[in-house]
Amino acid sequence: MATLTDVARVAGVSKNTVSRYLNERGYMSKETKAAIQKAIDLLHYQPNQIARSLSMKKTNFIGLVIPDVIQPFFATMASHIEDELDRRGYKLILCNTMHSSSKERKYLDMLSANKVDGIIVGSHSVDIDYSGIDAPIVALDRWLADDIPVVYADHIQGGHIAARAFLEHGCRRVAQFVAYSKVSSPSAQRHKVFAEEMRDNGVECFTYELRLNQFEFTSYLQTADIFLRQYPDVDGVFASDLVALALQREALSRGRRVPDDLFLFGYDGSFVYKIAYPPLPTVIQPYDEMASAIVELLEERVAGHIPQAKSHVFPVVSSTEVDAKQGKSTSPSTANFGLLATPHS
C-alpha cells in the first residue's frame, strides 16, 4: 500500500508539501499540484482520512446508537440518517446496543475516545446519564437530558388515528403491545392516548408487554401464539407493524378471519407493513423529515449553536389515507388478507 512518503518521492516534493496539498493549506503552484495528483493516481494512494480529520479537529464521523438495527423502525431510520449524512459529507458509525447498558456505555466511550463530530442516540438504558457526555448529541425518540434536543413523530396524533380505526371497526375488547416501557420515550404518549380513547368509548383495553430480548420475527410469532391462546376473545390489537404481522400470521393459521374476527392496526409505517396484501393498516411515521431534522440539529450543535426548541415533532398519517390518495384499494378481504399460513391441526 502506497504511503505519503511514496507519493512525495514520485512527485519530487517533500512530505510536508504533499500533506499541504491533501489538506488544501497554503499556496502551491499548479505544476506542483499536478505532479502530486499524478503521483497519487499512479500509486493509487488512499489518504488516511481519520488522521487528516483529526489534524483538522473534525472527523466527519457521526455515531448512531440504537437498540437493534433488525427492528424495522430503527433500520429505516438508520438508512435515512445515513443517506442524509452522506449528502452532507459525513460517515456513519452504527452501534447496536441490543438493550444492554454495558454495551451502550462501551459504545459511548468508544465514540467519545475517537472524537466523532456528534452522536445520534435512539437507545437509552435507564441507568445512563447523558447530561455529562462531552459531545454534541441529538436524540431520536428518546428523552435523554434537559439540554439535548429530541426528534420524534407525533405519537399523540398516532394514538388518536389508531383509536378511531378500532372504534370504526366496532371492536369491544382490544389489547395494545408495548415495548420499552422503562425507557423515557415520547412513544409512550401513543399508548396512553389510545387506552384513554378506548375506555372513554366503553371499549375494554389492556396492555401486553413485550420482553426486550425479543428481536427476531420468530420470537414475535411465539409471543403471538401464546397471546392468542391466552386471550381468544380479544377482537383487536394495536402493535408495531412487525408484531401485528406476527399476530396476523398466527391468527390466520388458526382459521381466524382478519380483520373480521381480529382487527389489527400497526404503527411505524416502514417497508414492513406492505408485506401483507392488502397492506396492514398502520400509522406511518415521516422518516425522511425526521432524519433531515436530526442531522440538521446535530450540525447546529457541532457548530456550537444550541437549538432553541428541545422537542421537534412531526405529523404522522394513516396508511389508509395514503393509499386512498394514491388510488390503491385497501378494503380488507378475509379471503386474501395477510400472509399465507397453514391452519393448525
Side-chain angles (χ1 to χ4, degrees):
M1 182 179 293
T3 65
L4 191 73
T5 301
D6 296 327
V7 174
R9 175 177 51 79
V10 173
V13 298
S14 68
K15 288 173 58 178
N16 182 56
T17 301
V18 176
S19 178
R20 288 194 298 110
Y21 171 76
L22 292 173
N23 291 306
E24 300 179 356
R25 291 180 177 174
Y27 171 78
M28 192 175 299
S29 68
K30 292 181 179 180
E31 291 78 10
T32 301
K33 290 181 180 180
I36 295 173
Q37 187 58 52
K38 183 177 180 180
I40 290 173
D41 295 339
L42 178 66
L43 297 171
H44 302 289
Y45 173 69
Q46 296 293 326
N48 187 328
Q49 296 293 338
I50 294 178
R52 286 180 62 200
S53 58
L54 285 175
S55 69
M56 301 170 66
K57 296 184 179 181
K58 194 171 188 296
T59 66
N60 286 345
F61 279 90
I62 300 295
L64 173 62
V65 183
I66 57 176
D68 189 4
V69 75
I70 201 172
Q71 298 180 23
F73 170 75
F74 291 110
T76 306
M77 280 304 310
S79 176
H80 285 269
I81 288 171
E82 191 278 334
D83 190 48
E84 185 66 26
L85 287 171
D86 180 65
R87 281 198 291 269
R88 298 173 186 240
Y90 294 94
K91 300 300 181 184
L92 179 70
I93 300 176
L94 180 63
C95 305
N96 283 297
T97 68
M98 303 300 286
H99 307 283
S100 166
S101 59
S102 61
K103 285 193 71 173
E104 193 166 330
R105 289 179 188 278
K106 288 177 182 177
Y107 278 132
L108 291 170
D109 290 342
M110 180 270 290
L111 294 172
S112 298
N114 285 278
K115 303 298 182 183
V116 294
D117 290 344
I119 304 173
I120 300 167
V121 180
S123 179
H124 183 202
S125 297
V126 293
D127 60 343
I128 291 181
D129 181 10
Y130 273 85
S131 62
I133 296 177
D134 186 23
I137 297 177
V138 173
L140 165 62
D141 211 30
R142 297 289 186 268
W143 301 117
L144 300 180
D146 290 340
D147 61 341
I148 295 178
V150 56
V151 174
Y152 58 95
D154 191 339
H155 297 295
I156 293 177
Q157 180 190 15
H160 285 306
I161 288 173
R164 286 198 302 271
F166 282 85
L167 293 174
E168 290 173 1
H169 191 76
C171 294
R172 301 309 305 164
R173 186 169 194 245
V174 304
Q176 59 172 334
F177 278 62
V178 177
Y180 310 113
S181 63
K182 294 181 180 180
V183 173
S184 182
S185 169
S187 63
Q189 297 170 337
R190 73 173 181 254
H191 301 299
K192 181 176 183 293
V193 167
F194 179 80
E196 289 176 349
E197 194 157 342
M198 289 293 98
R199 290 163 187 160
D200 288 346
N201 286 274
V203 178
E204 182 182 353
C205 179
F206 68 96
T207 296
Y208 192 91
E209 184 141 2
L210 290 166
R211 299 191 306 273
L212 287 183
N213 62 347
Q214 295 180 308
F215 309 126
E216 303 283 350
F217 186 66
T218 52
S219 69
Y220 290 145
L221 290 173
Q222 294 169 359
T223 297
D225 174 57
I226 295 171
F227 175 82
L228 292 172
R229 290 178 188 274
Q230 289 180 332
Y231 304 100
D233 57 338
V234 165
D235 58 5
V237 178
F238 179 37
S240 67
D241 293 346
L242 202 59
V243 175
L245 288 174
L247 285 162
Q248 175 182 292
R249 177 167 172 170
E250 286 299 305
L252 290 171
S253 72
R254 287 167 168 72
R256 295 189 67 176
R257 298 174 301 165
V258 177
D260 290 357
D261 298 333
L262 181 65
F263 180 67
L264 299 170
F265 202 90
Y267 199 101
D268 280 344
S270 70
F271 64 93
V272 172
Y273 88 95
K274 297 180 181 179
I275 290 176
Y277 181 78
L280 173 78
T282 188
V283 172
I284 299 177
Q285 300 188 71
Y287 294 99
D288 273 336
E289 291 87 344
M290 290 193 297
S292 179
I294 286 171
V295 175
E296 187 171 338
L297 283 167
L298 193 60
E299 277 199 313
E300 289 182 14
R301 302 208 85 188
V302 169
H305 305 304
I306 304 300
Q308 292 183 348
K310 179 186 177 183
S311 297
H312 301 262
V313 189
F314 292 84
V316 297
V317 66
S318 169
S319 63
T320 55
E321 294 179 20
V322 173
D323 291 338
K325 289 180 181 178
Q326 295 176 347
K328 298 178 181 179
S329 173
T330 57
S331 58
S333 168
T334 56
N336 63 4
F337 187 84
L339 306 173
L340 293 177
T342 303
H344 284 295
S345 56

